[in-house]
Structures are given as C-alpha cells and as structure tokens.
Amino acid sequence: MTRSIALAVAIISLAGPVSAQVHPYSPAGRPDLTTGDIHRYEMDRLRNQADRSQALAQSQSAQTRTTIQQLQSRRQPPLVLPEARRPLTLEEARQARQAAEARSGAVVRSTTQIDTWLDRRPQ
C-alpha cells in the first residue's frame, strides 16, 4: 500500500511541470497563431455564418411570398348576393304593369303582322 501511495505522489509531482508545456487552444490546430489571428478567424467564421443565415432568410421569404400568391390565386371570389328587393309602392306597381302591357302589346302587334303576311294567299 505504501508503494501505491509513493507511486501516486511521484506521478502527481511529474504532472505539474508537464502541464505547463501544453500550448493554449488554437481553433486552427496551429500553436503558432497569435491572439489577433484567432480573433480574425473567428470573426470570419461568424460573418460566413451570418451570410448563410441571411441567404436562408431571403430564400424562405421568397418561398413565403410565392406560397401566399398561389393561395390567393386559388381563393374563390366572394359570393355576391343580390340586393334585397323592397316592396313596390302602388304607383310603382301600376307603372310596372303598364310597361309590361306596352311590351306585350308591341310583341303581339309585330307577331300579328308576321302571321298575317305568312297567312296571305299566294298570287
């Protein structure tokens, strides 16, 4: 048991100096990059991501406009109901009756003339 404790102490004492030799994290995997280079790469990555997001938003906006236009073109026109007729007054009813009799009389006169001409005897 004392051997294992001594071995653990030895490993811990050696691990201290080794951890100091590890290079800081670099996104490109290159330890020779400066902090400015790392920030520049990150800004480029974020700009590219924003450009992709903007392109996607524009594409979806165009698709939305197209879909709305298609739906509006398929929409049926609203139903137009005829206006409700109000009851005629006595004077309006009399005028409508006289106009109908005049039209009927004109039709009878014109058809009577045609019938008379068709019924004539050939000469």
Side-chain angles (χ1 to χ4, degrees):
M1 176 142 154
T2 40
R3 257 189 188 176
S4 62
I5 293 175
L7 183 62
V9 169
I11 291 175
I12 291 174
S13 65
L14 291 176
V18 172
S19 66
Q21 296 174 2
V22 174
H23 292 286
Y25 170 74
S26 173
R30 295 175 38 202
D32 59 329
L33 292 178
T34 64
T35 304
D37 291 335
I38 293 171
H39 286 295
R40 193 175 316 108
Y41 288 137
E42 183 65 15
M43 290 302 294
D44 288 342
R45 184 186 70 78
L46 290 174
R47 271 193 208 99
N48 290 335
Q49 182 180 5
D51 290 343
R52 283 193 306 271
S53 296
Q54 184 179 8
L56 177 63
Q58 288 175 349
S59 171
Q60 289 176 342
S61 176
Q63 289 176 353
T64 301
R65 282 192 304 272
T66 303
T67 303
I68 288 172
Q69 288 174 350
Q70 288 174 349
L71 290 174
Q72 287 176 345
S73 68
R74 291 181 193 156
R75 187 179 292 167
Q76 293 189 4
L79 181 62
V80 178
L81 297 175
E83 293 183 21
R85 293 189 173 193
R86 61 177 178 78
L88 298 177
T89 63
L90 293 177
E91 182 61 27
E92 290 172 340
R94 184 183 61 76
Q95 289 175 353
R97 199 170 43 254
Q98 287 176 347
E101 288 173 0
R103 283 192 306 271
S104 175
V107 170
V108 168
R109 280 191 302 276
S110 64
T111 50
T112 306
Q113 290 175 357
I114 294 172
D115 288 341
T116 305
W117 184 82
L118 289 174
D119 290 341
R120 68 177 164 69
R121 290 186 181 198
Q123 297 176 354

